[in-house]
Structures are given as C-alpha cells and as structure tokens.
Amino acid sequence: KSVVNVATRHCSCRCSSGLSTSDGRAVERSSLKCGSPLRFESSMAHHYRPTSLLTELDFDGWRGDMEADLGAWEDWQDFQSLEELMSLGEYTMFHSRGERWVHPRKDSYRLHTEQLIHENRFHTEMRMSPDAVSKLINILAPRIQRVEYNSRSEGPILPEHIVGVGLRTLAGGSLSDIRHIFKMSVGAAYVSFNDFIDGVNTAPELAIKPPQSDEEWYQKNLGFLAKSSHHIMNGTALCIDGYFQRTNMPSLSEVTNQIAYYSGHYESYGVNCLAGVFSDLQFAHFSVISSGCTNDNQSYPRDTGLVALIDSMPPELYALGDAAFDVSERLLIPFTGSQRADPDKDAFNFYLSQLRIRVEMAFGRMVNKFR
C-alpha cells in the first residue's frame, strides 16, 4: 500500500544526504557539514496519480504505513511536502467530476432557422439569405464533417451547427451565448468556430479569384469606366489600399517584438493588411502582410502577391492608390501638398478619388457585414 519507494533528504546545496527505504530499513547517512536547511524529495512525485491511484488504495492504511515509515526520520518538518500531497489526495477522492451533461442537440439548427425565418430576422442574424447559408453548408461540409458515431449527446455536431456557430460569431455574437442555441459545450463551441474558419480559408470555391487573362482585365476596366465621370480615368482596372485590423497585444510566445504591432496613429495593437478591389466591390486580393506600425508604402513591396497581380495587367491598364504609395507606371496616386493648388492637378485628384473610393466602400461593407 505504500507508494513511497525511496525517500531522500537533501540539503539545499546538494551535499551528502541520507537514505531510508519504504520498509523502514535505515541506510547510513553522513553528517551535513554545511548547516543548510533540509528539504524533502520523494519518488512519490513520479508515481502520484490523484484520481486513479489513490482512489484504488485503502487510504487510511496507506496513511498508517506512511506514518510508520516517516517515524524513522528525526525531523517531521522535512516531510511537509508529503503532507500536502496526502491532503490533495484526500481532496480529489471526494471531489470527483460530476456526471456528463447530455446536450439535446437534435433538430436545434432546424428549429433555430425556422424561428428566424418566421420572425423575418434570418438575414439580420446570419448575415446572409437562407439559400446562401445552405450553399455555404454544402461547400464546407466535406471539410468540417464530424464522425457522427463519436458523439455522446443526443445528436452529433453537424456541418450546419458549425456553420451556424461561425456565422453568428462573426456577426458579433459571443460563443458563450451562441453555444446554447446549438446545444454544445464551451469547448465544442470554440472547436466548431475554429473548424469553420479553417474550412472557409481552405475551400477553393470561396477563394479570391483574380483575373487570369487580358480579356478578364478589360472587363474589370469597363466596370470602372462606367463609374468615371466623362470616362476620364479610362484605364483603371483595380483600386488598392491598406487596412488596419485591431488585435490584442500579442504575447512574447507569438512575436519577438511586441511594440512593432502597436500603431501610434490608431492607438491600438494590430496588423496591417493590403487589399485590391474591383468596381463591383469584390476583392481581387487581401493579405495580412505586416505588423501594425508598418505603413502602406513599406508593406507594398513585401506583398509579392499584390505586386504580381498589378504587374499581370495589360500594359495600358493601371491601379489606383492613395498618397501613402509611391507613384509608378502601373500605380497612380493623387497629388499632395502645394501641388493641389494647380487646377488641373486638383481636377485629376477629383476623378481619381471618384474611383478609388470603391476600395473604401469594400472595407465598409466588410466590417459591417461581420463585426
């Protein structure tokens, strides 16, 4: 019944020590010359299993054996740590985990969607139409499907549950509240949300698709041409801009330079993103490219995907950006400072801003769609 096989007394400087075995046989111990305080170590630490071992033992008998063994030593204070282990063992014997809660998950998604449709709030709370949600479920199902027979509740967590958790959370809901709608535990809700995000990011059907040919680029150009007064900006095919996404302060385990993620302009921690948008507000490119303190001009050369996208346009087409970027043959920016006093340059700024605002509108739609 005794768990301790060998108990050792060490002084704090790790000098000579004495041993005693669990059956009470004392081993000759040498004197401690340093006068350092003693501390106790036991191989029990390597065998201690509160919920599995101690519950199988006769605890009172185990305590009696231990007290007999410990009587072989002169100083009882050396074994305070062992007393703490014994107290923890008693606690875990009488404070075991309660019964598992069975979540009545069956039909929870169907009932929830029927209620939202009846109250005419489906689009408000799910951020898309019922047909769009059904299509999204069909796209993500192969990537987020769970093994149904592993479920210990009334019903398994289905793809529609995972999509519902993901959409409601992106719409601004709290996982601790949303989990009650779809009848799942806190841990299962967090896992479901992560599975939803991974599924969206890896599904090729949901990937951003930039133009692959000159003909497709000319079609994008016609969209901007229709929105340009008097067709002045007749070569625009793309608008680009940076987007600052606020985050919590990153930990040192995630980054080596925490202050690099703090933006003095926005007075917040975050990351800098770059995006390219067409006239219909669809994204042609979106990337998280640098830390929050990095401006758009420094981030642009690092975003090789965006640079390659602009370089793939036909020679007579170009992209529009704000004054944070450097002007080039493929990227036009507005005039700044005293240059705006020139009427012609001021007019150029007007027509450029008339189209470049499309990227700002895309950002606004994105952040208002999913908060």
Side-chain angles (χ1 to χ4, degrees):
K1 297 179 182 179
S2 178
V3 182
V4 177
N5 296 323
V6 176
T8 309
R9 297 174 70 191
H10 297 286
C11 70
S12 57
C13 68
R14 309 295 296 180
C15 68
S16 56
S17 60
L19 298 177
S20 177
T21 60
S22 59
D23 58 3
R25 292 177 299 166
V27 180
E28 182 179 357
R29 54 181 97 168
S30 59
S31 60
L32 300 176
K33 301 179 180 180
C34 63
S36 301
L38 297 177
R39 61 188 179 85
F40 175 77
E41 290 183 356
S42 172
S43 61
M44 180 182 178
H46 303 287
H47 300 280
Y48 178 64
R49 295 175 295 171
T51 58
S52 61
L53 177 61
L54 294 182
T55 53
E56 300 172 1
L57 298 176
D58 178 0
F59 191 80
D60 292 334
W62 177 75
R63 178 189 288 272
D65 290 345
M66 284 303 305
E67 290 177 350
D69 290 342
L70 297 178
W73 286 288
E74 299 175 349
D75 193 352
W76 178 260
Q77 293 180 352
D78 294 343
F79 312 107
Q80 187 66 35
S81 58
L82 183 57
E83 280 293 312
E84 294 174 358
L85 289 177
M86 294 166 67
S87 299
L88 180 60
E90 289 179 331
Y91 178 83
T92 55
M93 289 176 64
F94 301 105
H95 294 78
S96 59
R97 180 178 177 178
E99 295 182 2
R100 178 177 294 276
W101 180 262
V102 178
H103 297 277
R105 191 177 299 120
K106 186 178 180 180
D107 295 332
S108 61
Y109 178 80
R110 179 182 61 82
L111 295 174
H112 179 59
T113 54
E114 288 179 354
Q115 179 184 358
L116 293 180
I117 293 173
H118 174 73
E119 297 173 349
N120 197 26
R121 291 190 56 81
F122 190 94
H123 194 283
T124 301
E125 300 195 16
M126 301 293 280
R127 296 297 195 264
M128 40 178 88
S129 66
D131 292 339
V133 173
S134 298
K135 185 177 180 180
L136 180 61
I137 293 173
N138 293 332
I139 291 174
L140 297 181
R143 294 169 177 81
I144 61 179
Q145 181 68 53
R146 303 285 183 85
V147 180
E148 296 187 6
Y149 58 78
N150 283 346
S151 176
R152 289 174 287 186
S153 294
E154 285 188 3
I157 297 179
L158 301 175
E160 47 262 42
H161 296 129
I162 297 175
V163 172
V165 168
L167 292 178
R168 293 296 302 268
T169 304
L170 291 179
S174 170
L175 278 173
S176 61
D177 296 329
I178 295 171
R179 73 182 186 90
H180 296 295
I181 299 175
F182 301 104
K183 310 301 181 184
M184 58 180 66
S185 66
V186 176
Y190 277 94
V191 172
S192 297
F193 179 72
N194 291 335
D195 289 346
F196 172 78
I197 296 299
D198 291 340
V200 170
N201 288 337
T202 57
E205 299 90 342
L206 302 178
I208 295 176
K209 296 179 176 61
Q212 301 297 319
S213 63
D214 289 353
E215 182 179 354
E216 293 182 5
W217 276 114
Y218 289 129
Q219 290 295 324
K220 302 302 181 183
N221 168 243
L222 292 177
F224 282 105
L225 192 62
K227 298 186 179 300
S228 178
S229 298
H230 311 294
H231 296 175
I232 296 296
M233 307 295 292
N234 58 6
T236 306
L238 186 72
C239 291
I240 69 171
D241 199 6
Y243 175 77
F244 180 79
Q245 175 58 53
R246 286 178 169 83
T247 66
N248 295 329
M249 183 181 71
S251 65
L252 290 175
S253 62
E254 296 172 324
V255 299
T256 57
N257 186 4
Q258 291 175 309
I259 198 63
Y261 287 81
Y262 185 81
S263 170
H265 176 74
Y266 293 98
E267 297 183 348
S268 172
Y269 287 93
V271 291
N272 192 29
C273 310
L274 288 180
V277 173
F278 298 128
S279 61
D280 56 1
L281 307 187
Q282 289 190 358
F283 285 93
H285 176 86
F286 195 96
S287 62
V288 179
I289 197 62
S290 57
S291 58
C293 72
T294 309
N295 58 42
D296 294 344
N297 192 33
Q298 295 173 322
S299 299
Y300 177 70
R302 304 179 186 179
D303 194 346
T304 56
L306 182 57
V307 173
L309 178 65
I310 294 177
D311 290 341
S312 68
M313 294 189 299
E316 61 271 22
L317 301 183
Y318 49 80
L320 302 180
D322 58 20
F325 298 95
D326 290 332
V327 66
S328 67
E329 293 183 357
R330 291 298 185 92
L331 180 60
L332 301 185
I333 64 173
F335 293 99
T336 59
S338 60
Q339 295 175 324
R340 292 179 296 178
D342 187 325
D344 293 335
K345 295 179 179 178
D346 184 63
F348 173 83
N349 284 359
F350 170 80
Y351 290 111
L352 183 146
S353 299
Q354 191 179 45
L355 299 186
R356 199 193 66 79
I357 197 175
R358 306 301 294 181
V359 66
E360 305 290 353
M361 294 171 64
F363 288 155
R365 174 181 288 184
M366 177 182 66
V367 301
N368 283 283
K369 186 78 170 181
F370 296 111
R371 295 179 183 271

